[in-house]
Amino acid sequence: MSARKRIKVKNIPTYYRKEGGKTLILPLFVGLIIIFITFLFWYFLQNIEKEQFSKLVKESATRIRSSIETHTNNYFRTLERMAGRWSVRGDTPREEWNSDAKRLVTDFDGFQAIGWVDQMGTIRWLMPEGGNAKALNFDLTSEPNRRNILEKAKNERLTTSGYCDELVDGGKGFFALVPIYTKDKFEGYIIGISRVDKFIELSIFSNTLENYSVAVFDNNLELYQSQKVDEVSEKFKLNETINIYGNSWDLVIMPTKGTLSSFNSNADQWVLIAGVVFSVLSAWIVWLIGESKYRTRQIVKVNAGLKNEISERKYAQKSLQETLTLQNAVLNSSNYMIIATDPQGTIISFNKAAERNLGYQAEEVIGKTTPVILHDEKEIAQCAKELSAEGKETVEPGFEVFVHNSRANQVEEREWTYVRKDGSRFPVKLSVTTLRNEKGEITGFLGIGSDITKEKSDKIALRESEERLRVFVKHTPAAVAMLDSKLRYVMTSQRWLTDYHLGQQNIIGRSHYEVFPDIPQRWKQLHERGLKGEILKCEEDFFERNDGSKEWLRWEIRPWLNNRGKIGGVIFFTEVITNRKHIEDKLSHFAAIVSSSDDAIISKNFDGIVKTWNHGAEIIFGYSADEIIGKHISVLFPEDRLKEEVEFIKMVKNGKSIRQYETVRIRKDGKIIPVSLTLSPISDEKNTITGILKIARDITKQKKAESEIIRLNESLEQKISNRTAELNAANKELEAFSYSVSHDLRAPLRAMDGFSQALIEDYSHQFDETGKNYLSRIRNASHQMAHLIDSMLLLSRVTRSELTKTNVNLSEMVRNISNRLLETQPREDVHFEIEENLFANCDSRLIKIALENLLNNAYKFTSKNAVTKISFGSQQSDEGLEFFVKDNGAGFDMAYIGKLFNAFQRLHPVSEFEGTGIGLATVYRVIRKHGGKIRAEGKVGEGASFYFKL
Amino acid sequence: MNEKIILVVEDNPDDEILMLRAIRKNHIANEVIIAHDGVEALDYLFGTGKFAERDLSIMPQLIILDLKLPKISGLEVLEKLRSNETTKLIPVVVLTTSTEQQDVVKSYNLGANSYVQKPVDFNEFIEATRQLGLFWLLMNKTPSAL
C-alpha cells in the first residue's frame, strides 16, 4: 500500500520538470531570434554610414590634392614666364630683373623669395634681399640631393622642384628651379622659394583645415602638418599622391572626431535599443501563454489521482485482515526464532520455534520481560561498548544494544549466544528490524534468530582442514604448485618459490605465464595436454631463460578434479636439477679428459694401493688397469727410489702438492724411464684428505731434446766466436783498404794535376788553345776523382764510426755551415731562414756531415735561381719532432724517390749540377745510425725538402 | 839561410818533384834534402847508413814528413825522432794524403807540429807548401840550444 503511494508522489515532480523545461525553451528561442535580427540590422546600418563617410573623406582628399596641384602649376608657370623673358631679352640687366622679381613676389602671395642662380649653382641675385641675406651667394650644390635637382633641371631643360628643410626663418620650404637657355646657351636658373605651410594653407580652403588634419610628406620627410584643431580618427585616414614638377608628395588627411560625429545620425543606436526591448517583451508573453496551459493540465491530473486513491484504500483494508492471519501461520511454522517487542522492548510475540529452542513458553515472556534475559550479560556489555565507540552517543547495556543500529535504519545482524531457560547456551545469528507505522513512527522491533551451532562447527572443521592442507603443501620439500584451469596459481609450496627465485612475492591468483614470461612454447603445449586430462612426466628437461641461462628440470604434470568431477586445473611437481646436471656434466667431462690424457693419471690411497688407472698410465707403464688396480704402487719403483714414496705421502697428508718432480720409474717390461710427477691430495666433501692423485709424464723425449739443445748451443757459441773473429778480420782488412785508398789513389791524381799545371805554366808557349784545353780537362777529371774518393771515405767512415751522443745545437751548426757556404761560394739574393735553438741528442761530428751534405745540396741545386731560399726548422709529426731542410731549387721528380738515398745514384747530369752521388747516401747512413728516419719531398723546378728525425 | 835545411821525407817521385817545384815557386831558397823512405830519413838524421859521413852538427830546420813510407812508416820515424834528444825539437810537419782521423790523432800524439793534407789540386798544394814554409822557416825560431 505505502509503496504504491510513493510511486505516485515521485511521478508528479518528473512531470513538472518535463513540462517546465518546455515552457522556458520557447520564450528564450523567440527572444534570441529577435535580438539576432536586431543586431544584423544594426550592423548593416552602421556599415552604410561608414561607407558614406569614407566617400566624403576621399572627396575632400581629392579636392585638397587638386587645389595644391593647381596652385603649384600657377606658381611654376610664373617662374617659367620669367625665365622666358630672360631668354628672349638676353643679357638681362640686374635692375630690370629686380623689378620683375619684386613684382612677382608682391603679386604672388606664396613666394618667400625669387632668385637667379648662376651656372655653377650659386644664388647670385635675390628678391627681396632684406631678410634673405644669408641665402645670397649660397652654393646650392653643397648638398647632394639639391645637386641632383640642379643637374636634372639643366640636363632635361625642365622645371624641377625640390625641398629645403631649413629656410632662413626656420620653417620648411620648397623651391622650383627653371633652367635658362638663351639660344642653347645655358645661363643659370630662376629659383622660386616658398614656405611649404604658407603655400599649402593658401592652396586649400580654411574650413577644410578645421574639419581635417592635413599632412604632406616628401619620401617620409614631413613637409607640412596642419594645426590639430580636434582629435582625429585614424580609422578614416587616407593617402593621396600629389604630382608636381619632377616630384611627388604624399598627402595624408584624417577627419577630426567633430567631423565624424556631425555626420553620424545615431539612427543605428536607436534601432538597437528598440530591438532589445521588443525581444524581451516577446519572450515574456510567450512564457505566460505556456504557463497557463501547464496549470490547466495539472489540475486535471490531480483530480484523476484522487479518485484512484479512494478505491485503493477500500481494497487495502480487506487485504490487511487476510495478511494478519497468514502472518501468524508463517511465524509459527518457521524454524527461525521470531520475537517481536514494543518500542520499549517488552516482548509482544514469541513464536513456536523460540519456545522450542529457548525452553520458555510464550506466556512466560510476552508482556513480562525484554529479550535481555535470553542473552549473556557479558556479551551485551561488550556490544554496548563497541556501539558506543562506533557512534556519537553512549549506548547503555540493555535492550538498546539490539535495536540501536536498526533504529537508525541500519542493517542489524549479529552473532549472539542465547541462554536457554536451563542455562545452556548456543550460538545464534540474530537480525533485528524496526517496525514503523505509516507516519514513520516506531511501533516495535522484530528479532529473527537462527541456531548456527552446526554451521559454526562445520566452519571450524573446514578451516582446520584447509590450514592443515596449506601447511602440508607449503612445507612439502618439493616444488609443488596447484593451478586452476586458466593456469592461475591456487597454491604453491615454499620450495616452489625458492627454486624459481620468486622470493616472498605473492603469486596466488596470478597466471603462470605472467610469473614466467619466458616459458617455451613446447611447455605451453604440455600444459594444454595436462588440462585435457593427461598425466605427463619427464626426468630431464631444460629451458632457457630470457637472460640466456639454462635451467634443468625433472617434472610431472597432473590434472586435478573439482567437486563436480571436472578438471579444475593442473598440479605441477618439479625438481630443479641444474646443479646435479652440471656436476654430472663436469664429471663426464673430467672422465673424458682423464681417459684421453697421454699423461698417466693415477689415484691411490695412503697405503699405496692403486684405485684408478687411466689409459695414459697403461701406455706409459705397460700395466693394464685390471692388472694393477688393487695392487701396491711400489711395483713401479726402482729399489733406490722407494724412499721417495714415504716422503710424498707425508707431504700430501699435510695437504701439500708436489709439482713436476723429475725421477725414474720401472715399466712392466723392466725398462727404466724418466718421468715428471705431480702429486696432489684427494679430498672428500668434508675436506678430509683421503688419497693421492698422481700425474706422471714420460719425459724420455724431453730429456733427449734438452741434451740436444745444450749441445747445439755449445756449437752455436763456437760458431759465433768464429764468425766474430772473421768479421773482425774483414773489418781490419776494410780499414786497411780504405786507408790505402785514401792515401794511394790520391797520389797519382796529384801527379796528373800537378804535372798538367806544370805544363801549362812552364810550356804554355808550346801549346795551342786546344792543347791547353785538354790539359785543363785532365786537371778537372783529377779533381772530380779526388772529390769522389773523399766522399767514399766519408761514407765508409760514417759506417764504421761509433756514436758519441751529446746535446747538439743544430741551429748553430746550420748557421755556421751556411755562413761558410756564403763565404766560399758567394751568391746574390740568398736567404737562409734558420729556426733558433733547435737541439738534438746526437753525434755532433756525424750530424755535421749530414747537415753539410743537405745544405751543400740545397745551395748547389738553387745555384740557378734568381732568388734562393733555404730554410732549416722543425715540425711536429706523428712520430715526434722532425727537422727539415727546404730549398726552392731544381727539385726532383718524386718518381725517382726510391733512388734518392742510394750511393752513386744521381738525378741530375754532372753537366747541370756537379756531384758524386754519395752525399745523400752518407746523410741516410748518419740518420739511420742514430736510429732515426729521413724522407724527402720534391717537385721538378719547385725545390726539395728533406725531413729527418733523430 | 843556406845552412837552414829542409828535410822532405817522400817516397813518391811525382810528389817529390811537385814538392820541389812548389818550394821553388814559393821562393823558398833553403837547401832541400830528400829522403825516399823512413830508413833513409833516420839515417840522415842520426848519421847512420849511407849518411854515416854526415856532419851531425847541421840539423834540418824543418822536416816535411809523409806518413805512408816503405820500410819504416812516417809515424815510426816521428816516434824515433821525438825520443832522441838531438832531434826532438825539430819542427815536423806531417804532409800526407791521408785524412784518417786516427792518423791525425796519432801524429799529434807523437809530437807533430802540424798536420797538412796533400791536396790534389796543385795550386792548393803550392799554397799549403808556402804557408808551412813561411810559418816554420820564418816565424818560428829554432831553440837556441841547437
Side-chain angles (χ1 to χ4, degrees):
Chain A
M1 204 36 206
S2 64
R4 288 185 70 181
K5 202 177 170 185
R6 230 178 289 140
I7 290 166
K8 261 246 161 113
V9 173
K10 252 187 194 167
N11 256 346
I12 293 166
T14 319
Y15 164 79
Y16 173 80
R17 253 185 270 134
K18 235 177 169 179
E19 290 298 303
K22 261 185 195 165
T23 51
L24 274 182
I25 284 172
L26 196 58
L28 273 178
F29 182 67
V30 169
L32 282 174
I33 286 201
I34 295 173
I35 284 183
F36 178 70
I37 293 170
T38 309
F39 269 102
L40 220 58
F41 189 54
W42 171 76
Y43 178 75
F44 280 122
L45 214 58
Q46 252 202 340
N47 260 12
I48 289 166
E49 269 193 6
K50 211 187 275 174
E51 220 167 273
Q52 278 179 344
F53 187 67
S54 297
K55 215 184 257 174
L56 182 76
V57 175
K58 174 80 184 158
E59 273 166 17
S60 301
T62 314
R63 201 169 60 240
I64 294 167
R65 174 179 59 80
S66 73
S67 61
I68 291 175
E69 277 179 1
T70 314
H71 197 79
T72 322
N73 275 346
N74 287 342
Y75 169 89
F76 280 126
R77 231 166 271 140
T78 313
L79 293 174
E80 276 169 359
R81 275 199 293 276
M82 195 171 172
R85 278 196 290 281
W86 182 304
S87 303
V88 175
R89 167 79 169 74
D91 270 346
T92 309
R94 175 90 187 251
E95 293 76 30
E96 199 176 299
W97 185 88
N98 270 0
S99 70
D100 203 1
K102 198 171 182 178
R103 192 172 49 79
L104 283 180
V105 173
T106 331
D107 288 356
F108 281 82
D109 227 0
F111 287 124
Q112 182 84 0
I114 290 176
W116 173 66
V117 180
D118 70 4
Q119 290 92 325
M120 303 309 293
T122 310
I123 300 175
R124 289 298 177 197
W125 303 343
L126 204 61
M127 181 58 66
E129 283 190 336
N132 286 326
K134 257 191 195 170
L136 203 61
N137 292 332
F138 179 75
D139 184 4
L140 287 173
T141 59
S142 61
E143 194 266 328
N145 192 34
R146 279 203 296 267
R147 194 162 57 234
N148 285 343
I149 294 168
L150 284 168
E151 286 293 310
K152 194 180 166 196
K154 180 184 167 187
N155 292 340
E156 294 180 9
R157 300 193 180 189
L158 279 175
T159 305
T160 313
S161 69
Y163 63 84
C164 36
D165 36 23
E166 262 180 54
L167 282 185
V168 181
D169 57 0
K172 288 201 177 85
F174 88 99
F175 63 88
L177 275 172
V178 185
I180 308 167
Y181 279 90
T182 309
K183 287 171 195 160
D184 278 351
K185 189 186 161 221
F186 177 59
E187 295 199 320
Y189 311 84
I190 296 294
I191 187 165
I193 302 163
S194 287
R195 277 184 69 118
V196 177
D197 49 0
K198 202 169 172 194
F199 190 80
I200 287 171
E201 275 161 21
L202 278 170
S203 301
I204 49 184
F205 302 107
S206 55
N207 68 336
T208 313
L209 287 176
E210 273 164 28
N211 291 331
Y212 294 95
S213 149
V214 178
V216 176
F217 295 88
D218 183 352
N219 286 331
N220 296 330
L221 181 85
E222 189 187 272
L223 295 182
Y224 172 73
Q225 170 67 58
S226 68
Q227 278 184 326
K228 283 174 186 163
V229 286
D230 193 357
E231 256 187 279
V232 292
S233 165
E234 289 268 347
K235 206 156 109 194
F236 293 98
K237 180 173 166 181
L238 204 80
N239 288 30
E240 276 276 330
T241 307
I242 303 172
N243 285 309
I244 48 169
Y245 284 74
N247 234 332
S248 60
W249 290 347
D250 291 320
L251 171 71
V252 180
I253 76 165
M254 281 180 272
T256 61
K257 285 265 165 87
T259 314
L260 186 61
S261 65
S262 69
F263 187 81
N264 263 355
S265 63
N266 284 345
D268 52 346
Q269 278 152 30
W270 284 116
V271 166
L272 188 64
I273 293 163
V276 170
V277 171
F278 181 64
S279 67
V280 170
L281 283 175
S282 312
W284 187 47
I285 290 164
V286 171
W287 181 77
L288 279 179
I289 295 167
E291 189 74 355
S292 78
K293 265 190 191 170
Y294 154 70
R295 292 267 161 98
T296 315
R297 236 178 300 160
Q298 186 83 339
I299 290 164
V300 171
K301 289 228 169 174
V302 169
N303 280 346
L306 281 174
K307 254 185 214 166
N308 275 346
E309 205 168 312
I310 291 163
S311 68
E312 269 168 15
R313 282 217 180 154
K314 279 180 188 164
Y315 169 76
Q317 233 156 19
K318 193 180 154 208
S319 65
L320 185 61
Q321 282 303 320
E322 289 166 12
T323 312
L324 276 174
T325 323
L326 189 68
Q327 256 182 15
N328 273 330
V330 169
L331 276 176
N332 289 329
S333 65
S334 171
N335 270 332
Y336 290 108
M337 294 161 270
I338 302 175
I339 301 166
T341 69
D342 65 9
Q344 286 71 42
T346 312
I347 295 174
I348 54 170
S349 165
F350 199 77
N351 78 342
K352 292 284 177 210
E355 287 182 339
R356 237 185 355 259
N357 281 312
L358 291 162
Y360 291 97
Q361 289 305 303
E363 297 78 48
E364 285 178 80
V365 289
I366 288 178
K368 290 177 183 158
T369 179
T370 68
V372 175
I373 58 152
L374 308 173
H375 287 266
D376 179 352
E377 268 175 43
K378 278 183 195 159
E379 269 186 11
I380 291 175
Q382 175 65 26
C383 188
K385 214 184 271 173
E386 279 172 20
L387 287 170
S388 304
E390 274 170 27
K392 291 168 192 164
E393 309 160 57
T394 314
V395 179
E396 294 298 331
F399 176 69
E400 184 58 21
V401 298
F402 307 124
V403 300
H404 184 76
N405 280 343
S406 165
R407 203 195 283 278
N409 283 333
Q410 282 172 22
V411 178
E412 171 59 28
E413 193 176 78
R414 223 178 268 270
E415 285 184 10
W416 294 98
T417 306
Y418 266 177
V419 183
R420 292 200 185 88
K421 199 181 172 188
D422 61 9
S424 63
R425 290 157 179 259
F426 65 99
V428 285
K429 187 180 266 174
L430 176 67
S431 60
V432 177
T433 315
T434 306
L435 302 174
R436 290 173 198 265
N437 64 11
E438 278 152 32
K439 291 174 199 151
E441 291 161 348
I442 293 171
T443 57
F445 299 98
L446 183 69
I448 302 173
S450 64
D451 183 348
I452 54 168
T453 313
K454 188 167 185 300
E455 233 172 87
K456 273 232 144 162
S457 65
D458 280 359
K459 214 183 244 174
I460 288 166
L462 184 66
R463 203 180 298 149
E464 277 174 359
S465 114
E466 268 180 4
E467 179 61 16
R468 272 199 300 276
L469 180 64
R470 198 186 61 76
V471 171
F472 177 72
V473 171
K474 184 177 176 186
H475 297 295
T476 300
V480 181
M482 185 179 188
L483 298 101
D484 66 11
S485 58
K486 296 209 169 123
L487 293 177
R488 288 180 301 224
Y489 283 96
V490 176
M491 204 184 285
T492 64
S493 66
Q494 186 59 38
R495 185 67 177 271
W496 182 274
L497 298 176
T498 49
D499 273 6
Y500 297 108
H501 316 297
L502 296 169
Q504 287 308 314
Q505 57 176 300
N506 185 13
I507 57 167
I508 303 301
R510 284 170 66 196
S511 158
H512 185 50
Y513 300 153
E514 182 200 327
V515 177
F516 298 101
D518 43 10
I519 287 228
Q521 193 57 39
R522 61 188 175 91
W523 279 15
K524 291 185 179 173
Q525 284 162 4
L526 292 173
H527 299 158
E528 284 299 313
R529 286 166 61 190
L531 284 171
K532 281 180 186 150
E534 255 185 276
I535 295 172
L536 301 156
K537 44 175 89 171
C538 181
E539 284 302 314
E540 250 183 48
D541 197 353
F542 72 91
F543 81 98
E544 221 173 285
R545 291 192 187 277
N546 275 353
D547 62 8
S549 64
K550 234 181 198 184
E551 290 278 19
W552 286 87
L553 288 181
R554 192 170 71 83
W555 53 257
E556 199 172 322
I557 300 173
R558 281 173 178 276
W560 55 270
L561 303 180
N562 60 16
N563 49 10
R564 289 188 305 279
K566 298 261 170 65
I567 292 168
V570 286
I571 296 177
F572 293 159
F573 303 92
T574 69
E575 190 185 341
V576 176
I577 55 166
T578 311
N579 282 345
R580 197 186 80 198
K581 187 74 189 157
H582 282 171
I583 291 166
E584 276 175 15
D585 282 355
K586 245 184 222 168
L587 279 179
S588 69
H589 202 67
F590 284 139
I593 292 171
V594 169
S595 70
S596 65
S597 170
D598 286 339
D599 292 342
I601 301 174
I602 303 159
S603 64
K604 58 189 182 186
N605 63 15
F606 286 123
D607 299 327
I609 305 300
V610 177
K611 292 285 178 187
T612 67
W613 187 261
N614 77 337
H615 183 65
E618 287 181 346
I619 289 171
I620 290 174
F621 298 111
Y623 295 97
S624 74
D626 295 340
E627 278 177 296
I628 201 155
I629 287 176
K631 297 237 170 65
H632 200 270
I633 193 79
S634 60
V635 293
L636 302 177
F637 284 71
E639 258 178 44
D640 56 336
R641 303 279 176 163
L642 275 170
K643 60 178 184 300
E644 281 178 4
E645 179 71 359
V646 183
E647 276 299 307
F648 291 161
I649 290 175
K650 206 156 104 202
M651 283 178 79
V652 173
K653 262 189 176 164
N654 287 330
K656 283 180 188 153
S657 295
I658 296 126
R659 299 205 175 274
Q660 291 168 2
Y661 180 88
E662 286 185 10
T663 178
V664 292
R665 290 292 179 264
I666 306 179
R667 280 173 57 88
K668 189 184 177 188
D669 57 15
K671 196 175 156 195
I672 289 183
I673 51 166
V675 289
S676 162
L677 298 181
T678 296
L679 293 106
S680 34
I682 301 173
S683 320
D684 62 9
E685 60 271 32
K686 288 173 203 150
N687 278 334
T688 312
I689 299 165
T690 57
I692 301 174
L693 179 73
K694 178 166 165 182
I695 300 172
R697 176 169 292 178
D698 182 352
I699 53 170
T700 315
K701 276 182 194 162
Q702 195 182 320
K703 283 273 164 205
K704 215 181 253 174
E706 266 172 26
S707 59
E708 182 71 5
I709 286 169
I710 290 166
R711 196 184 59 75
L712 282 175
N713 274 349
E714 277 167 6
S715 78
L716 196 62
E717 259 167 44
Q718 183 58 42
K719 261 183 202 163
I720 288 170
S721 73
N722 287 351
R723 284 279 156 81
T724 313
E726 276 169 34
L727 203 62
N728 283 341
N731 267 349
K732 281 250 169 63
E733 232 166 77
L734 190 65
E735 256 173 65
F737 174 72
S738 15
Y739 184 82
S740 69
V741 162
S742 89
H743 199 275
D744 295 351
L745 285 188
R746 281 165 168 278
L749 289 175
R750 200 162 42 249
M752 279 158 68
D753 185 67
F755 291 112
S756 303
Q757 172 78 5
L759 277 178
I760 291 167
E761 281 176 12
D762 299 351
Y763 300 96
S764 65
H765 58 281
Q766 291 181 20
F767 284 107
D768 61 3
E769 280 311 306
T770 317
K772 282 177 196 161
N773 179 280
Y774 289 166
L775 284 170
S776 71
R777 276 176 186 277
I778 293 171
R779 290 198 64 204
N780 278 343
S782 53
H783 287 176
Q784 179 67 21
M785 186 157 172
H787 189 48
L788 201 59
I789 290 167
D790 284 346
S791 301
M792 278 172 67
L793 282 174
L794 197 61
L795 181 63
S796 86
R797 205 174 297 152
V798 166
T799 315
R800 278 181 288 132
S801 65
E802 299 268 322
L803 280 185
T804 318
K805 286 192 181 181
T806 53
N807 198 25
V808 179
N809 187 340
L810 297 183
S811 303
E812 199 184 304
M813 194 175 263
V814 171
R815 172 83 56 209
N816 289 339
I817 297 168
S818 63
N819 285 343
R820 214 195 54 235
L821 278 171
L822 288 170
E823 264 170 37
T824 54
Q825 305 167 49
R827 267 177 18 207
E828 270 178 22
D829 249 341
V830 179
H831 306 278
F832 278 99
E833 286 168 16
I834 299 163
E835 189 180 327
E836 290 304 325
N837 293 323
L838 293 180
F839 285 84
N841 188 32
C842 57
D843 186 308
S844 114
R845 207 167 45 84
L846 288 184
I847 214 71
K848 192 176 170 202
I849 292 170
L851 283 173
E852 268 173 353
N853 268 303
L854 288 174
L855 287 161
N856 281 349
N857 272 358
Y859 200 71
K860 179 166 73 185
F861 287 111
T862 49
S863 59
K864 293 183 180 160
N865 280 27
V867 180
T868 297
K869 269 188 189 158
I870 296 170
S871 55
F872 170 74
S874 66
Q875 64 182 36
Q876 278 299 334
S877 75
D878 295 343
E879 296 176 358
L881 194 67
E882 207 175 50
F883 301 101
F884 60 77
V885 175
K886 291 182 184 176
D887 66 64
N888 61 340
F892 61 89
D893 187 342
M894 285 296 272
Y896 304 116
I897 185 91
K899 293 185 169 182
L900 202 63
F901 294 108
N902 286 353
F904 303 110
Q905 293 284 355
R906 303 201 69 235
L907 301 184
H908 298 274
V910 180
S911 58
E912 218 179 301
F913 294 104
E914 285 206 333
T916 56
I918 295 172
L920 283 178
T922 310
V923 174
Y924 183 77
R925 290 219 183 152
V926 169
I927 303 299
R928 286 310 296 268
K929 209 164 171 75
H930 280 84
K933 276 185 182 169
I934 182 160
R935 64 189 172 88
E937 281 170 11
K939 203 169 176 192
V940 173
E942 291 183 19
S945 306
F946 289 87
Y947 301 89
F948 64 90
K949 184 186 152 287
L950 292 171
Chain B
M1 283 289 275
N2 272 352
E3 70 271 23
K4 289 187 176 172
I5 293 164
I6 299 172
L7 174 63
V8 175
V9 189
E10 175 61 74
D11 65 321
N12 187 327
D14 289 340
D15 281 350
E16 181 190 322
I17 292 170
L18 289 172
M19 174 73 76
L20 290 173
R21 186 178 143 83
I23 289 170
R24 204 166 64 235
K25 278 262 166 188
N26 283 313
H27 310 290
I28 297 166
N30 302 47
E31 186 186 345
V32 177
I33 304 283
I34 304 282
H36 294 96
D37 56 42
V39 178
E40 211 174 309
L42 291 174
D43 279 348
Y44 177 80
L45 287 170
F46 301 123
T48 49
K50 80 178 192 191
F51 292 104
E53 306 297 313
R54 200 178 78 84
D55 176 5
L56 283 180
S57 66
I58 301 165
M59 278 295 172
Q61 189 75 11
L62 173 70
I63 300 171
I64 296 173
L65 181 65
D66 193 0
L67 289 185
K68 199 160 179 296
L69 296 171
K71 299 177 191 168
I72 294 176
S73 81
L75 290 171
E76 283 175 274
V77 172
L78 185 60
E79 196 178 359
K80 290 237 162 74
L81 220 134
R82 284 291 180 246
S83 56
N84 190 294
E85 277 301 314
T86 55
T87 54
K88 80 174 180 190
L89 292 174
I90 304 173
V92 176
V93 174
V94 173
L95 183 71
T96 179
T97 341
S98 167
T99 53
E100 291 291 313
Q101 198 65 21
Q102 47 175 351
D103 283 346
V104 182
V105 175
K106 272 185 194 163
S107 302
Y108 279 116
N109 282 343
L110 290 173
N113 296 62
S114 181
Y115 187 97
V116 179
Q117 201 206 347
K118 279 187 202 165
V120 170
D121 189 305
F122 185 64
N123 286 333
E124 286 175 34
F125 189 70
I126 290 175
E127 178 62 19
T129 314
R130 187 180 72 82
Q131 281 183 4
L132 62 93
L134 281 181
F135 185 80
W136 293 106
L137 294 175
L138 301 179
M139 305 299 178
N140 251 22
K141 286 264 192 263
T142 313
S144 55
L146 289 173

